[in-house]
Amino acid sequence: MNKDLLKLLDLSREDIYKILNTADQMKYSQKHHIPHDYLRGKTLAMIFEKNSTRTRVSFEVGMYQLGGHALFLSGKESQIGRGEPVEDTARVLSRYCDGIMIRTYAQEEVEALARCASIPVINGLTDFAHPCQVLADLMTVRERMARLEGLKLCFIGDGNNMANSLIVGGLKCGMDVSAACPEGYDPDPRVLDFAKTVDDARFTLCRDPREAAADADVVVTDVWASMGQEEEKEKRQKAFGGVYQVDGALMALAHPGAMVLHCLPAHRGEEISAEVFEAHAGEIFEEAENRLHAQKAVMYLLMGEKED
């Protein structure tokens, strides 16, 4: 693996499977009370310029379970939020800590942090990518379906960071991927360009959610307006409302026994109906739990394991 986890575009298929296999081991150890304090004495700096529940708790708890310590740094309360160049922050934290996790807006900020840091940098979320969440998603699918290759993954909604990372992660793992997005809300062009380069990949971008969901094994959705897009809420409701919702009628088109995933928080009655959410709550909250195990695997592989 590379020094950092910045986006799934940077990982090979073998890298992704190594993380997933390690995450399975982490989950087994945690469930069976097997000590796995591989990061004893190590510290993770966590920079939050975007608020979070799952990201903060899962990284903080994960570091504790690995024997290390997580240090919370709010963007508003640290010098990075007062104009200090991210490059300087990277060089300072590299002298104090063993790893950095950052949850922010611009992908370039994460990339700049990694270029100047001598320690691993983990992308906890940007507007472009959400690699840790999608690793947890892939882990959840493989747990339930026993495989990834050959399955059809469908995404319904905004072509946001989740869509970007799901397309990349799904295609790299041999899945067929379809996405239904309104006009003007497509995934990032870099991701669409990547999809064209994957040998034997079957990727479809369409406007009709019914077309995307047909025979899907996994249906994924996300909120119509992500954090930082609150001022677009009314505009987005007009673009998405009445069409881009995962409901019973849409699920009837998917493969029998299809999974539903949602990275949370969910707005019932908007991107997903309350009935579908509750019918698939077991999968959705297993997905949320798997953030912990997938991120522990990432931290261990980047901060603990030393390859020859």
Side-chain angles (χ1 to χ4, degrees), residues 41-91:
K42 297 199 173 185
T43 300
L44 176 74
M46 304 189 305
I47 302 172
F48 282 87
E49 295 185 329
K50 273 191 173 185
N51 295 331
S52 170
T53 298
R54 280 155 289 278
T55 299
R56 179 177 178 180
V57 173
S58 55
F59 270 106
E60 196 160 336
V61 171
M63 274 300 289
Y64 172 78
Q65 292 177 354
L66 288 168
H69 175 70
L71 180 65
F72 174 76
L73 299 172
S74 167
K76 295 179 180 179
E77 297 170 359
S78 64
Q79 295 300 330
I80 197 172
R82 299 174 181 171
E84 181 175 54
V86 68
E87 294 84 355
D88 291 356
T89 298
R91 288 180 285 191

Side-chain angles (χ1 to χ4, degrees), residues 22-132:
T22 305
D24 289 342
Q25 295 170 3
M26 293 288 179
K27 188 171 186 176
Y28 182 88
S29 295
Q30 185 62 31
K31 296 293 186 182
H32 292 83
H33 309 290
I34 300 171
H36 51 290
D37 52 345
Y38 306 127
L39 299 184
R40 182 182 299 177
K42 297 199 173 185
T43 300
L44 176 74
M46 304 189 305
I47 302 172
F48 282 87
E49 295 185 329
K50 273 191 173 185
N51 295 331
S52 170
T53 298
R54 280 155 289 278
T55 299
R56 179 177 178 180
V57 173
S58 55
F59 270 106
E60 196 160 336
V61 171
M63 274 300 289
Y64 172 78
Q65 292 177 354
L66 288 168
H69 175 70
L71 180 65
F72 174 76
L73 299 172
S74 167
K76 295 179 180 179
E77 297 170 359
S78 64
Q79 295 300 330
I80 197 172
R82 299 174 181 171
E84 181 175 54
V86 68
E87 294 84 355
D88 291 356
T89 298
R91 288 180 285 191
V92 169
L93 292 180
S94 294
R95 293 170 180 260
Y96 295 153
C97 303
D98 302 284
I100 302 170
M101 187 284 298
I102 180 168
R103 179 180 168 96
T104 188
Y105 294 90
Q107 179 70 21
E108 176 52 34
E109 183 173 0
V110 178
E111 304 275 350
L113 191 70
R115 284 195 298 269
C116 293
S118 60
I119 57 177
V121 172
I122 300 169
N123 180 356
L125 174 143
T126 63
D127 290 344
F128 172 70
H130 202 349
C132 291

Side-chain angles (χ1 to χ4, degrees), residues 5-274:
L5 174 61
L6 307 181
K7 55 188 182 296
L8 293 185
L9 282 168
D10 298 334
L11 300 185
S12 66
R13 180 174 181 173
E14 292 72 26
D15 290 334
I16 293 175
Y17 274 103
K18 183 173 185 178
I19 293 170
L20 297 182
N21 292 339
T22 305
D24 289 342
Q25 295 170 3
M26 293 288 179
K27 188 171 186 176
Y28 182 88
S29 295
Q30 185 62 31
K31 296 293 186 182
H32 292 83
H33 309 290
I34 300 171
H36 51 290
D37 52 345
Y38 306 127
L39 299 184
R40 182 182 299 177
K42 297 199 173 185
T43 300
L44 176 74
M46 304 189 305
I47 302 172
F48 282 87
E49 295 185 329
K50 273 191 173 185
N51 295 331
S52 170
T53 298
R54 280 155 289 278
T55 299
R56 179 177 178 180
V57 173
S58 55
F59 270 106
E60 196 160 336
V61 171
M63 274 300 289
Y64 172 78
Q65 292 177 354
L66 288 168
H69 175 70
L71 180 65
F72 174 76
L73 299 172
S74 167
K76 295 179 180 179
E77 297 170 359
S78 64
Q79 295 300 330
I80 197 172
R82 299 174 181 171
E84 181 175 54
V86 68
E87 294 84 355
D88 291 356
T89 298
R91 288 180 285 191
V92 169
L93 292 180
S94 294
R95 293 170 180 260
Y96 295 153
C97 303
D98 302 284
I100 302 170
M101 187 284 298
I102 180 168
R103 179 180 168 96
T104 188
Y105 294 90
Q107 179 70 21
E108 176 52 34
E109 183 173 0
V110 178
E111 304 275 350
L113 191 70
R115 284 195 298 269
C116 293
S118 60
I119 57 177
V121 172
I122 300 169
N123 180 356
L125 174 143
T126 63
D127 290 344
F128 172 70
H130 202 349
C132 291
Q133 177 65 59
V134 170
L135 288 168
D137 293 358
L138 295 173
M139 178 183 180
T140 308
V141 173
R142 195 169 70 156
E143 283 180 335
R144 296 272 176 150
M145 302 288 194
R147 63 188 174 99
L148 294 173
E149 189 168 4
L151 296 179
K152 180 180 177 181
L153 183 150
C154 161
F155 178 83
I156 306 294
D158 183 22
N160 59 12
N161 49 12
M162 279 299 301
N164 291 335
S165 295
L166 281 165
I167 293 167
V168 174
L171 292 177
K172 287 199 173 194
C173 289
M175 304 178 81
D176 297 336
V177 181
S178 62
C181 309
E183 189 78 37
Y185 295 92
D186 287 350
D188 191 279
R190 290 169 288 180
V191 170
L192 299 181
D193 288 342
F194 162 77
K196 297 174 184 177
T197 69
V198 180
D199 293 338
D200 301 322
R202 287 189 285 180
F203 171 69
T204 304
L205 175 63
C206 60
R207 306 298 172 207
D208 188 348
R210 295 170 298 179
E211 177 185 345
D215 298 319
D217 299 289
V218 186
V219 178
V220 190
T221 190
D222 193 9
V223 294
W224 294 339
S226 299
M227 189 180 300
Q229 299 171 334
E230 289 79 7
E231 72 282 357
E232 301 178 21
K233 184 175 181 181
E234 185 175 343
K235 174 185 174 183
R236 285 171 172 267
Q237 285 180 331
K238 291 179 181 179
F240 291 85
V243 179
Y244 294 88
Q245 182 186 93
V246 177
D247 57 14
L250 188 80
M251 291 306 299
L253 301 172
H255 195 275
M259 297 174 61
V260 173
L261 298 178
H262 193 304
C263 64
L264 302 176
H267 295 169
R268 295 165 177 80
E270 292 187 4
E271 75 277 0
I272 189 168
S273 70

